[in-house]
Amino acid sequence: MNLFARRFRRLVTGIALLLPLGLTAQPVHEHDLKAAFVYNFALFTDWPADTIYEGGTLNICINPASALRPALNALRDKPIRGRRIALREPAPGTVRACHVLFLEATDRRAWPQMREALAGATVLTVADDQEPGLEGSIIMLGFEGNRIVFSIDTRAAGAASLILSSKLLRLAAEVR
Amino acid sequence: MIAPAFKTKRARLGRWLDLANLVTAGAALLVASMLLILFQFMSLRSALVEDVAIQARIIGDNSAAALMFADSRAATETLSALEGAPAILAASLFPADGKALATYRRANAASVAAPSEALQAAGHIFSFNRLELVRAVRIDGRDLGFVVLRASLERLYARLIGYAGLTLAIAMGSLIVAYLLVARMRRAVKKAEAHLEYLAHIDPVTGLPNRHAFNERLAFALGRADHAGGSVGLLLIDLDNFKIVNDTLGHHCGDRLLKVVAQRLLGCLRAGDVISRIGGDEFAVILEAAGSADGERPARKVLSVLGAPFEVDGHEIYVTASVGISLYPDDALDLDTLTRNADTAMYQAKGKGKNGYEKFHPELDRRIQKRLSLESKLRKALERAELSLHYQPQFRISDGHLVGLEALLRWDHPELGAVSPVEFIPVAEDCGLIVPIGRWVLRTACAELAAWRDAGFGVIHVSVNLSARQTRDPHLMHDILQALRDYKISPTQLELEITESVLMDNVHANVELLHRLQTEGIRLSIDDFGTGYSSMAYLKRFPIDQVKIDRTFVRDIPGDRDDEAITTAIIAMAHSLGLSVVAEGVETEQQLEFLRAAGCDIMQGFYFAEPGTAEQIAAFLGSRIGGVKNAVLPA
């Protein structure tokens, strides 16, 4: 019981960092929310057993200029399945080493080349907004009123050999 | 039979025991039932906690993602699955910051609040009718928040009440069944006990209490007399001629007679008097009522009701009884003495000619004591050779010749001196000593006859008396023949004298015995003729050689016209039947002359010769040989 109680107390104090999501979203900045979404997606995704983790880190590739980067950077000390998070810059040559690839409007130009490079790679691609030109990513973020929602392309996930938790699928606004 | 006071006391005690048993068994069952119910309650509770915990876990797992993405809609949807669990009243999903993300409420139940520290510490808390349970929601080893469920205990209580009802009903049922079984068994045992008690205390023939019951009742009556004062009378009633009824009409008829006698006795006694059958033909009456305690009035009543003839199986039977009366505490201070005294009195009544009653008095007791001491002395008399035979010569009247000797038993006790046969023969007869004594007499007589023969005194005849008891001794015939053979005495030298009453005691057996004796050549004589039945018929029926006129008739002749007539008649009758006649107790010349005139054959008495010892008789016999013939016979 004691252990249980202690765990609960720890939960109460540490929870603000772990779960930076507020439904009203008003006091929290949109970038922080999106960064938390990305982080949570990684949490509900199963990579194949033979996935390579160079340096033991789970690599989240994001454009160095992205507004989400500081927020994601803040989550670096929150390991996922025991692996620390590392932020990388996506480049067509090294993109296969990414585990999560976050794409936004600025990446639209590089996307077709990267998409080719990614063929068959076990990379969870998350596209911000429903930007035209980022077609083919596995998860797409969007807005419904002032609520952040997401849709999932299960075919793309299957092509990347990733398994997304049914819990995640249930929360998706659209599953294709 | 147990006195009624004991019985009710015992019955009351029995009922108390029954009740106590029932209460104890009921209490034990109740405690057992309570423990079962309590156990059931505990297990139902822990089962409920388990159920609710599982549900919390399922909810937690399914809503982890919703909690993570703060998706209230998805979380509410997950919670709404709880509609399928009727025990759950309300549930909420809390993120770590404490504000409910989703809530579920059944009907109009209150929603659950954020878990208190205590609830979080305990995991679950029971209130009277609620269970609140909290479980953490975790993912990837991290706590996201918690799910809180509130379950109603109503269903638990309903099930518990059902279970309790069933348990108590079963306990009650088994108690009733056990009670009925035990009661049935107890009834059977009681019935068996009552039957055993009946068998142990009731005489089956008459339905009266038996000796065992009589002793209990008497002891009870004496105890009551001790406490409450007053006296107790005891009547012992012995039927005088019951044995004859049994012998001649059979046991079945005897039993029937006893039954009607018992009924008549019951009818004539008062309600408080207790009558029991304590022996074959013996009844006892306990008189507790003070008025009748002197016992004479009830005794007279008993004799008078038995006076009327009894009708049994078509036979008209006359029954007389001898009654002995003894009083407590006047005559005896304990039960044994009281009964013995009544017995003594009863035998006294019998001795006085039966069909009467006798009250116990101390003189009777002394007589009994004397008789007992006589008996014990008599037992030793044979061993110590205190017995001896005297002989009284018998002479033929016509010529004064000695025809024989009557052997007379004498007992010379070192302290008591010479004890009269009138005193000790009945004692010997009663205690059975007469059989060995009779055998001794026969052998001694034969031995002395042989001695006289060897001394050259010629062939002497001797007559020996046979008692009633001896005639019933199966070895009698053998003993007689053995004695004759041992001393080489001819059977014709022996004459056996039997009294009328002995002959009549068992007519059938005696006729046979006498015939066998006569076949052996032994002479038979009827002793004390005229005092008993004096039946002409048996004179013809028994193989008799001689009749002896009783000394009571001889005593008053001549002079008493009646005795003269009887004596003359006996002599005439005996002669006409071909029997010889002996007169005993002849003491005077007048008697001798009368008897001679009447034609009497043989005389015996002081007038001729006193009884003498064997030595004296030997001397007498020797003198006769020596020429002084009939020295003692005058005229």
Side-chain angles (χ1 to χ4, degrees), chain B residues 259-286:
Chain B
K259 198 165 181 160
V260 288
V261 165
Q263 276 159 6
R264 233 182 247 188
L265 288 176
L266 267 177
C268 84
L269 293 167
R270 300 183 317 176
D273 301 335
V274 178
I275 177 157
S276 319
R277 181 182 171 214
I278 59 170
D281 56 354
E282 251 186 288
F283 296 87
V285 182
I286 302 170

Side-chain angles (χ1 to χ4, degrees), chain B residues 230-388:
Chain B
S231 59
V232 177
L234 175 62
L235 299 191
L236 281 191
I237 304 166
D238 190 276
L239 303 186
D240 292 328
N241 39 7
F242 179 70
K243 194 177 168 331
I244 293 176
V245 175
N246 243 358
D247 286 349
T248 53
L249 300 179
H251 284 285
H252 178 69
C253 198
D255 285 352
R256 298 281 293 273
L257 176 63
L258 284 173
K259 198 165 181 160
V260 288
V261 165
Q263 276 159 6
R264 233 182 247 188
L265 288 176
L266 267 177
C268 84
L269 293 167
R270 300 183 317 176
D273 301 335
V274 178
I275 177 157
S276 319
R277 181 182 171 214
I278 59 170
D281 56 354
E282 251 186 288
F283 296 87
V285 182
I286 302 170
L287 305 165
E288 270 197 272
S292 58
D294 73 337
E296 292 199 43
R297 226 160 57 87
R300 275 197 296 273
K301 235 186 276 153
V302 164
L303 291 178
S304 80
V305 294
L306 294 182
F310 288 87
E311 185 79 26
V312 175
D313 293 348
H315 302 282
E316 200 172 59
I317 300 172
Y318 285 86
V319 169
T320 61
S322 303
V323 181
I325 307 167
S326 175
L327 298 182
Y328 177 89
D330 302 0
D331 298 330
L333 288 173
D334 60 80
L335 190 147
D336 287 342
T337 318
L338 184 69
T339 353
R340 199 174 61 232
N341 287 350
D343 210 42
T344 305
M346 191 264 289
Y347 275 106
Q348 179 71 8
K350 254 195 202 313
K352 277 193 173 174
K354 306 182 174 175
N355 197 19
Y357 68 86
E358 195 69 33
K359 268 188 85 161
F360 174 81
H361 48 89
E363 175 59 31
L364 275 182
D365 196 37
R366 271 199 291 284
R367 224 175 290 167
I368 295 292
Q369 293 304 327
K370 193 174 165 195
R371 195 187 167 99
L372 282 177
S373 101
L374 209 60
E375 186 184 317
S376 71
K377 289 185 173 102
L378 193 55
R379 279 186 195 282
K380 294 169 193 150
L382 262 182
E383 299 162 25
R384 296 180 182 171
E386 290 166 8
L387 297 178
S388 62

Side-chain angles (χ1 to χ4, degrees), chain B residues 78-90:
Chain B
T78 307
L79 286 185
S80 69
L82 288 171
E83 268 169 26
I88 306 296
L89 291 175

Side-chain angles (χ1 to χ4, degrees), chain A residues 1 4-5 7-9 11-12 15 18-19 21 23 37 39-41 43-44 79-81 147 167-168 170-171, chain B residues 61-62 65-72 74 78 96-97 120-122 136 138-140 142-146:
Chain A
M1 273 309 145
F4 195 61
R7 220 181 287 150
F8 258 100
R9 232 167 278 134
L11 173 79
V12 172
I15 207 105
L18 177 71
L19 260 186
L21 298 185
L23 254 189
F37 265 70
Y39 174 86
N40 285 352
F41 291 148
L43 206 54
F44 285 99
I80 290 174
R81 279 165 240 238
R147 255 173 63 104
K167 295 168 184 169
L168 191 64
R170 251 180 59 203
L171 296 176
Chain B
D61 275 2
N62 288 339
L67 202 56
M68 258 188 120
F69 288 96
D71 190 333
S72 168
T78 307
D97 59 6
Q120 286 181 26
R138 344 185 64 200
I139 193 150
D140 196 22
R142 275 191 297 262
D143 293 321
L144 302 178
F146 28 86

Side-chain angles (χ1 to χ4, degrees), chain B residues 122-176:
Chain B
H124 69 266
I125 288 180
F126 275 101
S127 66
F128 168 66
N129 56 356
R130 300 274 184 272
L131 164 68
E132 296 228 350
L133 181 137
V134 64
R135 286 290 181 273
V137 180
R138 344 185 64 200
I139 193 150
D140 196 22
R142 275 191 297 262
D143 293 321
L144 302 178
F146 28 86
V147 59
V148 181
L149 293 181
R150 183 194 293 140
S152 161
L153 297 189
E154 263 171 40
R155 289 168 64 88
L156 183 147
Y157 285 132
R159 283 176 67 183
L160 191 67
I161 285 170
Y163 179 79
L166 187 68
T167 306
L168 289 176
I170 288 172
M172 200 67 187
S174 45
L175 190 66
I176 288 170

